[in-house]
Amino acid sequence: MAKVAVMGFGTVGSGVYDIIKKNGGKISENIGEETSVKYILDIRDFPDHPEKEIFTKEFDRILNDDEVTVAAEVIGGLHPAYEYTKSLLEAGKSVVTSNKELVATYGTELLEIAKENNVSYLFEASVGGGIPIIRPMSQCLAANNIKSIAGILNGTTNYILNEMITKGKSFETALKQAQDKGYAERNPAADVEGHDACRKIAILSSLASGKFVDYNDIPTEGITNITLDDVKYAEKLDGVIKLIGYAKFLDNGKIYSHVAPMVVKNESPIASVNGVFNAIMVNGDCVGDVMFYGKGAGTMPTASAVVADIADCVRNKNRKKTAPWEMPEENIMASGDDEKFSYFIRTTDSAEDVRGAFGKCEFVDNIVKSESAFVTEPLCESDFKEKLSKLKNVVSSIRILA
Amino acid sequence: MAKVAVMGFGTVGSGVYDIIKKNGGKISENIGEETSVKYILDIRDFPDHPEKEIFTKEFDRILNDDEVTVAAEVIGGLHPAYEYTKSLLEAGKSVVTSNKELVATYGTELLEIAKENNVSYLFEASVGGGIPIIRPMSQCLAANNIKSIAGILNGTTNYILNEMITKGKSFETALKQAQDKGYAERNPAADVEGHDACRKIAILSSLASGKFVDYNDIPTEGITNITLDDVKYAEKLDGVIKLIGYAKFLDNGKIYSHVAPMVVKNESPIASVNGVFNAIMVNGDCVGDVMFYGKGAGTMPTASAVVADIADCVRNKNRKKTAPWEMPEENIMASGDDEKFSYFIRTTDSAEDVRGAFGKCEFVDNIVKSESAFVTEPLCESDFKEKLSKLKNVVSSIRILA
């Protein structure tokens, strides 16, 4: 009989509770052990909840209860989530989480503590909501060296871009609509500036490489500057603009990564990922391209991933634990010169000036009359910047996903 | 130190050997135990192989070697794969396989034997080649009741249909081309008649429901009757024709399943799955739609899934085993009347006759002059058949994936 504590009774936490109530029988059957929620930790009162007696405001009750073997940390934010998680792991309890912020910041330390205490620290729900991605990457693709990851990791920005692409709405109108529908926060910066996607690609990169990738080291650009003209130009390139979390694992052991809007060609399965859906394309040296698709957020999808992790903790409580990544001894981040991209560039300079600056390039019929629009050869970053500096007036530039 | 036996040194078997050689370090690190191949079983001689001393023709050497804890059965076919697998499991050795035929036929018995002996019988590679699908479904979606599965489970037929759709080739020409490229066998029946997809949807349905689904109980239709006109009509319906392995898990506990060409609307992510790629869309009650995409066949993708299963066996050797499905006590298959589909129908009968037979329906501009083409309301099978029998001459009918 596994006793679980749910810490944080917000949208995800209440979903975790509901799923264990609703599908508990199936889950218990699956893992061969009955599973139930013994505590719900929240600073708020829930006097009308049918199981109000299991609510507590005292973390120590969970920490000191030997019956509790697994806790779901769905509080969010760094504190007190970090302190709670650390204490629980040190006390020999497994912790599962949807908290990407915490995993991306303190994951290395917490995973090490979990390993030392032979318990699990699992975070399937931290990337891609309910989409199975963490476990498939670490287990099903275990035989592969991962070569690259390219993902639509944020549903809010994908929804906004999709409205711009399919309905010709401006960024501002689409954002407003996303806020009205509850897809975007009142303060949408974490989404539209790319910070959310950045933490997620950092987690995936750490997992793929076995070395901690600090999200602070990943150049991150949001979608706030994307205009309807950019969207229309992308269509001319037979593609769409998507906010992509990108990582390339280079043969020299270094990792190139960025978060930025990119032109994705329509032939890529990522191009047709619409609305609030997420998709993560992983390339392994044996398996080739595999893609995982689904709802990247929302109460029930995210909670279902948290519950799957709880089941995993119960099922594998006696397994020897390994840490999926560790702190690298030296800098593992590649520079922008270690990876090449073709760029799509809009400028008010003449075609002749463009040729003078970039040499070989492919012009695109312009949508805005006064502009030259073109696609460059694959260029490393410094080469790109040097050539770009020769133009007098650049409207926009965007990388193309190969 | 885990010692592995590879049984069958065909395309998959040689890939398994190569991956363990090439990525062995990474795999060993991942599972915390060194892993190497001790035997390769094959009836043929490989005198030029660099490790020719590990080849054997005697199965009993593997069976009786206590050092061997895991065997990869990549012989294919039912016999002697069945007898070997059974003996190994009874001897307390784990077995992993890519053999969908064996899993779909004797899986229930073999899984039960594995459970009794507390060893693993894993088959990630039997469906979708290298695409992680078995483990994600059984573990990551553990908190979900699966509601439906719709998958492109056979790369050969998807390649053929894709050539018809994008290049206007006839079925015969596209099949010939698939054979020339090595995607299709000389005798392509197993692929084009849907038998391969049928075994795979049977395995997925068994996994999703926890009850054995016999592939003999799944109505199966191939793509041999699909013409270029059908393909063009599908385009008019804003869709494409795909060979779909379909399963619906009904609220009454029964399972409706079929393999058949279906019209898939372009808005579905499955519609844009091209070439030899596979994709499996799973709908769970909590997670909603999730899709898994990748190469469904080929030496290295399939072998990488086999090796991941080997790693799982080593990692979880002490875990209490559960059987993912068991033999149902009564018939669990729903009839065609338990599920409704809209049909796209071509007939030489008049529009008036069509209305007389089907009542409400939606006509499609005809491509073939003498025809009426239309989409029905959602109908159960007997209702559909009864209405269809009122038409004098039906050219073709095809279900539409909702």
Side-chain angles (χ1 to χ4, degrees):
Chain A
M1 182 81 175
K3 299 283 188 184
V4 176
V6 176
M7 306 193 298
F9 200 63
T11 50
V12 179
S14 61
V16 169
Y17 173 85
D18 287 346
I19 291 174
I20 295 178
K21 275 278 147 192
K22 185 180 158 214
N23 292 353
K26 180 183 177 297
I27 300 162
S28 303
E29 212 173 282
N30 183 301
I31 60 180
E33 187 169 341
E34 217 173 300
T35 302
S36 65
V37 177
K38 184 165 182 182
Y39 298 104
I40 297 173
L41 179 73
D42 204 291
I43 48 169
R44 294 166 297 173
D45 290 309
F46 295 88
D48 301 328
H49 194 277
E51 282 198 277
K52 58 178 180 291
E53 68 282 3
I54 68 172
F55 280 80
T56 180
K57 295 177 185 181
E58 293 166 54
F59 169 69
D60 283 355
R61 279 188 65 192
I62 296 167
L63 184 66
N64 296 325
D65 188 334
D66 289 342
E67 265 198 344
V68 174
T69 51
V70 187
E73 183 275 294
V74 286
I75 308 167
L78 290 180
H79 306 284
Y82 166 70
E83 289 76 11
Y84 286 0
T85 302
K86 194 170 166 178
S87 302
L88 289 162
L89 295 172
E90 285 172 345
K93 298 178 196 300
S94 289
V95 179
V96 305
T97 188
S98 59
N99 191 334
K100 60 188 166 288
E101 180 80 23
L102 186 61
V103 176
T105 309
Y106 293 113
T108 316
E109 182 195 355
L110 295 171
L111 287 162
E112 183 59 33
I113 295 172
K115 183 183 154 190
E116 279 167 14
N117 291 278
N118 209 38
V119 290
S120 299
Y121 181 51
L122 302 180
F123 47 92
E124 180 65 72
S126 68
V127 180
I131 307 171
I133 175 66
I134 302 292
R135 192 170 287 101
M137 265 185 64
S138 52
Q139 294 183 15
C140 306
L141 305 181
N144 286 261
N145 285 307
I146 306 295
K147 310 299 277 180
S148 67
I149 301 171
I152 295 172
L153 298 168
N154 179 275
T156 307
T157 45
N158 201 54
Y159 174 84
I160 292 170
L161 289 170
N162 199 223
E163 289 294 299
M164 293 173 73
I165 294 163
T166 59
K167 294 178 190 154
K169 292 185 178 149
S170 70
F171 170 77
E172 291 74 18
T173 309
L175 169 59
K176 173 81 174 45
Q177 188 175 311
Q179 286 171 321
D180 291 346
K181 285 188 179 256
Y183 297 154
E185 306 280 337
R186 277 301 192 83
N187 178 352
D191 291 322
V192 299
E193 304 283 3
H195 303 312
D196 174 78
C198 176
R199 272 135 188 92
K200 291 169 178 169
I201 191 70
I203 293 171
L204 294 177
S205 300
S206 300
L207 197 64
S209 66
K211 306 281 180 201
F212 173 65
V213 173
D214 188 338
Y215 67 83
N216 292 300
D217 293 339
I218 300 177
T220 297
E221 196 186 316
I223 63 164
T224 51
N225 294 324
I226 300 296
T227 66
L228 279 177
D229 286 331
D230 294 322
V231 165
K232 284 181 208 154
Y233 272 118
E235 204 181 328
K236 288 221 173 204
L237 297 171
D238 202 25
V240 284
I241 295 178
K242 296 283 183 189
L243 182 67
I244 299 293
Y246 180 84
K248 179 89 169 269
F249 304 88
L250 307 173
D251 290 338
N252 65 11
K254 297 213 166 190
I255 301 165
Y256 170 83
S257 181
H258 74 234
V259 173
M262 297 181 82
V263 175
V264 179
K265 297 292 186 138
N266 286 331
E267 71 213 31
S268 165
I270 289 186
S272 52
V273 174
N274 294 330
V276 294
F277 280 82
N278 285 17
I280 302 128
M281 181 76 90
V282 179
N283 184 279
D285 62 346
C286 302
V287 78
D289 281 334
V290 289
M291 188 179 82
F292 305 89
Y293 165 98
K295 277 198 190 113
T299 299
M300 294 312 264
T302 308
S304 101
V306 172
V307 175
D309 274 353
I310 292 173
D312 190 304
C313 290
V314 177
R315 201 192 285 119
N316 293 314
K317 56 173 175 284
N318 298 319
R319 182 167 86 190
K320 189 166 161 259
K321 306 302 187 296
T322 53
W325 69 72
E326 52 193 29
M327 198 56 78
E329 285 172 16
E330 49 192 21
N331 176 30
I332 51 165
M333 298 311 285
S335 82
D337 285 351
D338 290 322
E339 173 73 331
K340 287 181 174 181
F341 293 97
S342 284
Y343 291 77
F344 170 70
I345 300 173
R346 294 167 56 192
T347 172
T348 54
D349 289 29
S350 70
E352 202 178 316
D353 288 345
V354 166
R355 273 191 217 96
F358 279 85
K360 202 174 166 193
C361 58
E362 199 181 317
F363 284 89
V364 179
D365 291 347
N366 57 347
I367 287 172
V368 180
K369 260 199 176 161
S370 53
E371 291 181 4
S372 303
F374 63 102
V375 174
T376 73
E377 297 278 275
L379 300 169
C380 71
E381 194 174 307
S382 62
D383 206 7
F384 162 71
K385 283 186 176 163
E386 187 238 309
K387 286 175 159 62
L388 198 72
S389 70
K390 292 182 189 161
L391 297 180
K392 285 188 281 297
N393 185 22
V394 176
V395 180
S396 68
S397 70
I398 182 167
R399 278 166 284 215
I400 297 172
L401 185 65
Chain B
M1 184 78 175
K3 300 283 188 185
V4 176
V6 176
M7 306 194 299
F9 200 63
T11 50
V12 178
S14 62
V16 169
Y17 173 85
D18 288 346
I19 291 175
I20 294 178
K21 275 279 146 191
K22 186 181 157 212
N23 292 353
K26 180 183 178 298
I27 299 161
S28 303
E29 212 172 283
N30 183 300
I31 58 180
E33 186 167 343
E34 217 172 299
T35 303
S36 65
V37 177
K38 186 166 182 182
Y39 297 103
I40 298 174
L41 178 73
D42 204 290
I43 49 168
R44 294 166 297 174
D45 289 308
F46 295 88
D48 301 329
H49 194 276
E51 284 197 276
K52 57 178 178 292
E53 69 281 3
I54 68 172
F55 280 80
T56 180
K57 293 177 188 182
E58 293 166 54
F59 169 70
D60 283 354
R61 281 187 65 192
I62 295 167
L63 184 66
N64 297 324
D65 188 333
D66 289 342
E67 265 199 343
V68 173
T69 51
V70 188
E73 183 275 294
V74 286
I75 308 166
L78 290 180
H79 307 283
Y82 166 70
E83 290 75 12
Y84 286 0
T85 301
K86 193 171 168 178
S87 302
L88 288 163
L89 295 171
E90 286 171 345
K93 299 178 195 301
S94 290
V95 179
V96 306
T97 189
S98 58
N99 190 335
K100 58 185 168 291
E101 180 80 23
L102 186 61
V103 176
T105 308
Y106 294 113
T108 315
E109 182 194 355
L110 295 171
L111 287 163
E112 183 59 33
I113 296 172
K115 182 183 157 192
E116 279 166 14
N117 291 277
N118 209 38
V119 290
S120 300
Y121 181 50
L122 302 180
F123 47 91
E124 180 65 72
S126 68
V127 180
I131 307 171
I133 175 68
I134 302 292
R135 192 169 287 103
M137 265 185 62
S138 51
Q139 294 182 15
C140 305
L141 304 182
N144 286 261
N145 284 309
I146 305 296
K147 310 297 277 182
S148 68
I149 302 171
I152 295 171
L153 298 168
N154 179 274
T156 306
T157 45
N158 202 53
Y159 175 85
I160 292 170
L161 289 170
N162 199 223
E163 290 293 300
M164 294 173 73
I165 294 163
T166 59
K167 295 179 190 153
K169 291 183 180 150
S170 70
F171 171 76
E172 291 74 17
T173 310
L175 169 59
K176 174 80 175 44
Q177 187 175 313
Q179 286 172 320
D180 291 347
K181 285 190 180 254
Y183 298 154
E185 307 280 336
R186 277 306 192 80
N187 178 350
D191 291 323
V192 299
E193 304 283 2
H195 304 311
D196 175 79
C198 176
R199 273 137 187 91
K200 291 169 179 169
I201 192 71
I203 294 172
L204 294 177
S205 300
S206 301
L207 197 63
S209 66
K211 307 279 180 204
F212 174 66
V213 173
D214 187 338
Y215 66 84
N216 292 300
D217 293 339
I218 300 177
T220 297
E221 194 186 318
I223 62 165
T224 51
N225 294 325
I226 300 296
T227 66
L228 279 178
D229 286 331
D230 294 322
V231 165
K232 284 181 210 154
Y233 272 118
E235 205 180 326
K236 290 221 173 202
L237 297 171
D238 202 26
V240 285
I241 295 178
K242 297 283 183 190
L243 182 66
I244 299 292
Y246 181 85
K248 179 89 169 269
F249 304 89
L250 306 173
D251 290 338
N252 64 11
K254 295 213 167 191
I255 301 166
Y256 171 83
S257 181
H258 74 234
V259 173
M262 298 181 83
V263 175
V264 180
K265 297 291 186 139
N266 287 330
E267 70 213 32
S268 165
I270 289 186
S272 53
V273 173
N274 295 329
V276 293
F277 281 83
N278 285 19
I280 302 129
M281 181 76 90
V282 180
N283 184 279
D285 61 347
C286 302
V287 77
D289 280 335
V290 290
M291 187 179 82
F292 305 88
Y293 165 98
K295 277 198 189 110
T299 299
M300 294 313 265
T302 307
S304 100
V306 173
V307 176
D309 274 353
I310 293 174
D312 189 305
C313 290
V314 176
R315 202 192 283 120
N316 293 315
K317 56 176 174 285
N318 298 320
R319 182 165 84 189
K320 189 164 163 260
K321 305 302 186 296
T322 52
W325 68 71
E326 52 194 27
M327 198 58 77
E329 286 172 17
E330 48 193 19
N331 175 30
I332 51 166
M333 298 312 285
S335 82
D337 285 351
D338 289 321
E339 171 73 331
K340 288 182 175 182
F341 293 98
S342 284
Y343 290 77
F344 170 70
I345 300 173
R346 293 167 56 192
T347 171
T348 53
D349 290 29
S350 69
E352 200 178 317
D353 289 344
V354 166
R355 272 190 217 96
F358 280 86
K360 201 174 166 193
C361 58
E362 198 182 319
F363 284 89
V364 179
D365 291 346
N366 57 346
I367 288 172
V368 180
K369 261 198 173 160
S370 53
E371 291 181 2
S372 302
F374 62 101
V375 175
T376 72
E377 296 278 275
L379 300 169
C380 72
E381 196 173 305
S382 62
D383 205 8
F384 162 72
K385 282 186 176 164
E386 186 238 310
K387 287 176 160 61
L388 197 71
S389 70
K390 294 182 190 161
L391 297 180
K392 285 187 282 298
N393 184 23
V394 176
V395 181
S396 68
S397 69
I398 182 168
R399 278 166 283 215
I400 297 173
L401 185 65

